Amino acid sequence: MTDRMERSGLRVDTALARFVEEQVLPPIGLDAATFWSGFAALVGQLAPRNRALLAKRDELQSLIDAWHMSRPGKPIDQGDYQAFLREIGYLVPEPGQFAIGTTGVDPEIATMAGPQLVVPVLNARFLLNAANARWGSLYDAFYGTDALDAAPAQGKGYDPVRGAAVIAAGRAFLDKALPLAAGSWSDVETADAPLADPAQYLGETAKGRLYRSNGLAIEIVVDRSTEVGGADKAGIADIVLESALTTIVDLEDSVAAVDAEDKLAAYANWLGVIRGDLTETFEKGGRTLTRELAGDKRVTLPSGETVDLPGRSLLFVRNVGHLMTNPAILLPDGSEIPEGIMDAVLTSAISAQDVKGLTRFGNSRQGSIYIVKPKMHGPEECAFTNDLFDAVEDLLGLDRHTIKVGVMDEERRTSANLAACIHAVRDRIVFINTGFLDRTGDEIHTSMRAGPMIRKSAIKGSTWIAAYERRNVAIGLAHGLSGVAQIGKGMWAAPDMMSDMLEQKIGHPRTGANTAWVPSPTAATLHAMHYHEVDVFGLRGEIAEGEIPGLDLLLQVPLAQGANWSEDEIREELDNNAQGLLGYVVRWIDQGVGCSKVPDINDVGLMEDRATLRISSQHMANWLLHGVCSEEQVMASLKRMAAKVDAQNAGDPLYEPMAGNWDTSFAFRAACDLVFRGVKQPNGYTEPLLHAWRLRKKAAMAGSPMLAEV
């Protein structure tokens, strides 16, 4: 049993209570008794509303299910469908013309365009790497990836042939981003060659010269003592790009946090990175290395004045959504605290040290706290988040709207009512974005009873997807987000396919989005080149004048009307879904890893988090419900793919095989539940089953007899 302390009627895990009382509250001058009393009152007021909102989700889903079941096989008439959705309150009236009123926003969010990283909070090393990804070596990014159409490096030392290709690519980039008054960067013999636009030159750094293009900095490193710089006629040893302007430190889809122990580790890492003293020591190449946060970059301006540019990415923290509870704190009636409420209070209390200027480096220079809030369904839930953040500010003694919110447009009811969602948080919103996987998972579940869906790969080309992506940007611009907030796009999931990323991901800034997600610091540096090529803010005027796609397009359900798939096609689809499902679940359940590079069915490594799981499990559940496949076919696919996933993980000494252990492998049983119980999962979410099975796994690892059937 968890050791707990009584705090104003709340039963708090002892280690968590001590962490809060010893490390979080004293620096911000909050008395523990006052804090816990206020926290208890906040939970008492808001937890019932949280539960009521979840009940509303279930009610709406039941009504939508019944509507589809009352008209089996009939095409969906958009007029009838939308009238029904308005009648039940799924669609709400548009709020009319308004502009957001958010103030106190850092330029990385409001007025700059560049890449955004998402990093699991539980991995301190990855967290530090992401925070330090504000600046990245373009030479290293070219040299170590497939971004160049050139021969790979040979041997362990420096390959001058590969290096020459890297340098040529770097010079070509400079010719585009920093054109010279005459000639090419490939011909210069000095790094201070005159520019076509002298205003692009900013000043000198400790390592070279600093320039700016489309609002992003470029550092040309001059060092003839290095192998690269010594062989370069201009002495240029590297090109360093301002890369990940912002990073989302994630407590949600990329982590497996199911109890007080996990949550405490998450909060401790958030405190460390905010406070500035987080470090991680690890072994690499036979050496012991310690990672810590990078310092700022000092620039000497032409006037002789010095300024410091941030050396670290500006940090958001992504809290969990409204759905889950957590046993870290029990309420007076013995129930678990809504996890999103706990996250809001504790991550904000930690961030208050930054607001009060008590940290080593500082995060927000505007004194703001940035929280991304995922998986909200419609404006009612956004309004609840606004009230929650009001209450947290009052509890912590923070000015109103110190806490800013990022609204993830990843649920169907939010997409359909996006303007009203923005209106509900209009004085604190700093971010909207799109996310294909979760949005598709909700698309499938919402219309689960309407009929079988088209194949998963075909959904990306659906009419509603194109409308969804365009609406997000257009509605954001229509309500004043440009120059105040980020409009973002989703993840590039293949970290080893940088050549393809360079070719395709330029499409994101071309939509008018001023940020998009990348899976690694290296990817951030390469993606940063796109923002030098595309003037995002210059495009927005034209985009804003375009027509906003209507609900007739957005609400088209991707049904497989009259599809007649062969047995081979059905098996192929099931295998693809089952392999992705098992490859992710086995690490989540058995090792507590919520995000990693998981080989797909073709052995291509993809960065996957819980959103991947939602779409795969819901797609299989949908086909099973409508008789496209049988339970026997699904189980055969799961077992076939378990053997494949076992083989893909054969080199992992911590891996526990699933094949043949059908009854004893918690991971395999969890995967089966996600499919066979998928229709009944709230909004198709995977968290309830994942948490239950992970808790059982942790209990088994600890030798606990608490292994009751889920």
Side-chain angles (χ1 to χ4, degrees):
M1 295 291 289
T2 300
D3 185 25
R4 298 185 182 276
M5 291 181 171
E6 187 80 16
R7 293 290 185 268
S8 297
L10 302 176
R11 294 173 56 209
V12 186
D13 173 83
T14 296
L16 178 61
R18 286 175 175 161
F19 168 77
V20 170
E21 293 169 9
E22 295 171 7
Q23 298 190 55
V24 178
L25 300 180
I28 59 176
L30 272 183
D31 171 72
T34 302
F35 170 78
W36 289 115
S37 175
F39 192 178
L42 181 155
V43 176
Q45 177 187 8
L46 295 177
R49 284 182 61 189
N50 198 138
R51 288 191 291 270
L53 290 170
L54 298 180
K56 177 72 173 291
R57 293 183 188 180
D58 294 341
E59 177 189 359
L60 289 174
Q61 186 62 57
S62 294
L63 292 170
I64 292 170
D65 286 346
W67 190 83
H68 286 304
M69 292 167 68
S70 71
R71 39 193 304 119
K74 291 184 179 179
I76 297 175
D77 178 86
Q78 282 295 320
D80 292 344
Y81 184 46
Q82 291 175 37
F84 161 71
L85 294 178
R86 288 191 174 87
E87 179 185 338
I88 65 174
Y90 185 95
L91 293 177
V92 303
E94 289 286 318
Q97 292 186 348
F98 72 93
I100 65 170
T102 313
T103 59
V105 185
D106 287 271
E108 291 92 337
I109 294 170
T111 58
M112 299 176 72
Q116 185 169 68
L117 278 167
V118 184
V119 64
V121 70
L122 289 175
N123 191 314
R125 180 178 169 187
F126 289 179
L127 176 52
L128 288 163
N129 288 345
N132 289 342
R134 178 63 175 259
W135 300 89
S137 165
L138 183 60
Y139 277 10
D140 286 351
F142 277 144
Y143 190 89
T145 71
D146 72 342
L148 290 184
D149 184 16
Q154 303 297 317
K156 293 185 177 180
Y158 176 67
D159 180 350
V161 176
R162 176 75 174 178
V166 167
I167 291 167
R171 294 299 208 275
F173 166 74
L174 291 179
D175 282 341
K176 290 182 178 180
L178 303 172
L180 297 175
S184 166
W185 278 98
S186 60
D187 301 322
V188 299
E189 297 185 0
T190 175
D192 60 356
L195 299 178
D197 179 5
Q200 287 190 285
Y201 171 66
L202 297 182
E204 303 292 315
T205 68
K207 295 182 178 180
R209 297 171 62 83
L210 200 70
Y211 302 84
R212 179 168 287 148
S213 161
N214 271 359
L216 294 176
I218 301 170
E219 183 181 29
I220 297 179
V221 177
V222 180
D223 188 349
R224 296 187 182 276
S225 69
T226 66
E227 188 169 9
V228 175
D232 189 277
K233 56 188 174 184
I236 297 175
D238 202 354
I239 300 168
V240 175
L241 302 187
E242 193 171 19
S243 300
L245 296 180
T246 55
T247 288
I248 296 174
V249 180
D250 190 26
L251 278 76
E252 195 230 7
D253 266 357
S254 70
V255 301
V258 299
D259 56 19
E261 176 188 35
D262 297 335
K263 296 300 291 189
L264 177 55
Y267 296 143
N269 278 353
W270 178 239
L271 175 62
V273 77
I274 283 294
R275 202 163 53 191
D277 57 6
L278 181 67
T279 61
E280 180 77 357
T281 299
F282 55 95
E283 299 290 327
K284 186 175 182 179
R287 295 191 304 156
T288 300
L289 302 175
T290 297
R291 186 82 75 234
E292 61 182 6
L293 289 170
D296 290 338
K297 188 180 291 289
R298 177 150 293 183
V299 185
T300 301
L301 305 177
S303 65
E305 179 187 359
T306 61
V307 296
D308 289 335
L309 298 184
R312 299 152 310 284
S313 190
L314 179 71
L315 304 179
F316 288 79
V317 60
R318 182 161 69 169
N319 289 181
V320 304
H322 297 322
L323 175 64
M324 295 303 294
T325 61
N326 194 280
I329 300 176
L330 300 182
L331 305 187
D333 64 1
S335 63
E336 296 178 357
I337 191 170
E339 191 174 356
I341 292 178
M342 180 172 70
D343 273 359
V345 171
L346 295 184
T347 60
S348 296
I350 289 166
S351 299
Q353 296 190 22
D354 182 59
V355 174
K356 295 178 181 294
L358 304 174
T359 62
R360 179 183 177 194
F361 295 115
N363 183 45
S364 169
R365 296 179 302 287
Q366 293 292 322
S368 290
I369 296 169
Y370 298 109
I371 297 179
V372 174
K373 190 68 178 178
K375 295 182 173 60
M376 293 189 289
H377 292 246
E380 234 184 332
E381 296 195 9
C382 292
F384 173 75
T385 292
N386 191 66
D387 292 345
L388 169 61
F389 287 0
D390 278 354
V392 173
E393 288 163 347
D394 293 342
L395 172 64
L396 300 177
L398 300 173
D399 291 341
R400 183 64 75 234
H401 302 139
T402 294
I403 304 174
K404 307 300 194 286
V405 69
V407 174
M408 297 190 65
D409 178 6
E410 57 187 352
E411 306 299 329
R412 197 170 188 258
R413 188 152 51 116
T414 293
S415 298
N417 300 286
L418 183 58
C421 290
I422 294 171
H423 187 266
V425 288
R426 60 192 176 277
D427 291 324
R428 65 169 86 243
I429 190 165
V430 291
F431 164 103
I432 58 173
N433 83 331
T434 54
F436 162 75
L437 292 173
D438 260 312
R439 180 63 181 79
T440 301
D442 194 45
E443 183 74 21
I444 295 171
H445 191 86
T446 301
S447 305
M448 179 67 74
R449 301 284 178 173
M453 300 292 160
I454 60 179
R455 296 184 68 173
K456 186 172 71 173
S457 60
I459 294 178
K460 291 183 180 179
S462 298
T463 298
W464 75 263
I465 282 279
Y468 162 62
E469 294 288 356
R470 286 176 54 210
R471 275 174 60 91
N472 181 271
V473 176
I475 291 173
L477 295 180
H479 296 295
L481 268 69
S482 190
V484 181
Q486 282 182 329
I487 300 176
K489 293 296 177 186
M491 179 67 78
W492 177 265
D496 297 329
M497 300 173 67
M498 292 294 97
S499 178
D500 289 346
M501 187 195 79
L502 281 176
E503 180 180 344
Q504 297 176 37
K505 202 169 175 66
I506 194 169
H508 281 159
R510 284 175 176 165
T511 68
N514 62 318
T515 196
W517 288 1
V518 286
S520 68
T522 295
T525 297
L526 292 170
H527 184 42
M529 293 195 298
H530 293 143
Y531 296 91
H532 290 282
E533 186 171 344
V534 178
D535 179 5
V536 172
F537 292 97
L539 284 175
R540 284 181 166 177
E542 180 180 343
I543 294 169
E545 292 176 358
E547 184 178 349
I548 298 175
L551 293 177
D552 287 355
L553 297 176
L554 181 72
L555 296 178
Q556 286 193 21
V557 181
L559 296 175
Q561 303 284 3
N564 186 23
W565 295 296
S566 68
E567 289 295 314
D568 286 344
E569 288 173 320
I570 292 170
R571 183 174 59 253
E572 180 184 60
E573 185 71 15
L574 291 177
D575 282 356
N576 182 283
N577 278 317
Q579 189 276 338
L581 181 75
L582 289 160
Y584 180 78
V585 168
V586 70
R587 296 183 184 183
W588 211 101
I589 300 297
D590 288 349
Q591 299 180 25
V593 175
C595 180
S596 62
K597 188 166 67 173
V598 179
D600 70 2
I601 199 166
N602 299 310
D603 299 315
V604 175
L606 301 178
M607 291 299 294
E608 295 192 343
D609 67 10
R610 210 158 47 206
T612 310
L613 202 58
R614 187 180 181 193
I615 181 175
S616 296
S617 60
Q618 286 296 293
H619 196 273
M620 294 177 80
N622 172 261
W623 274 23
L624 186 59
L625 175 68
H626 292 285
V628 177
C629 55
S630 66
E631 289 191 17
E632 291 75 19
Q633 285 175 300
V634 172
M635 184 57 78
S637 180
L638 287 167
K639 289 184 175 181
R640 191 163 52 245
M641 290 301 101
K644 180 175 181 65
V645 170
D646 286 351
Q648 290 175 321
N649 286 276
D652 182 355
L654 300 177
Y655 184 80
E656 300 176 38
M658 294 179 286
N661 300 312
W662 313 124
D663 295 328
T664 57
S665 169
F666 288 1
F668 184 77
R669 293 177 67 187
C672 291
D673 269 0
L674 286 165
V675 177
F676 294 116
R677 299 170 64 181
V679 172
K680 295 183 179 180
Q681 296 311 297
N683 301 103
Y685 288 126
T686 61
E687 290 94 314
L689 289 171
L690 284 178
H691 279 228
W693 280 106
R694 175 61 183 162
L695 285 167
R696 290 191 68 197
K697 179 64 178 180
K698 291 185 75 171
M701 292 166 63
S704 169
M706 297 174 59
L707 299 177
E709 188 65 42
V710 175

